[in-house]
Amino acid sequence: MTQPKCGAVTKRGGRCRNKAIVGSGQCAKHQGRWTRGGAAQGEIKDAEAKLRALRKRKWTWW
């Protein structure tokens, strides 16, 4: 049995030919942040970016 392809529409209008992750039907690139692991990683990245912005803003006017 072969693993199915992702099939997501790319920017060029074609279809993604990467192998789909088992259970999701899309590849790691196209499954996005709405998945369990992707949402957690996105929240961490958002929090880190917010802290960097606050630190930068705090020290720019001293």
Side-chain angles (χ1 to χ4, degrees), residues 10-45:
T10 63
K11 289 181 181 179
R12 295 176 124 184
R15 295 286 182 174
C16 177
R17 293 181 288 173
N18 292 328
K19 292 181 181 178
I21 295 175
V22 177
S24 77
Q26 293 181 324
C27 68
K29 182 177 179 180
H30 292 112
Q31 74 182 24
R33 287 180 55 179
W34 57 84
T35 60
R36 195 177 319 150
Q41 287 178 347
E43 289 171 4
I44 291 169
K45 286 183 179 181

Side-chain angles (χ1 to χ4, degrees), residues 49-62:
K50 194 174 193 179
L51 282 174
R52 277 195 303 273
L54 286 172
R55 287 184 188 130
K56 186 176 180 181
R57 187 171 49 176
K58 181 180 177 184
W59 295 109
T60 56
W61 55 283
W62 280 101

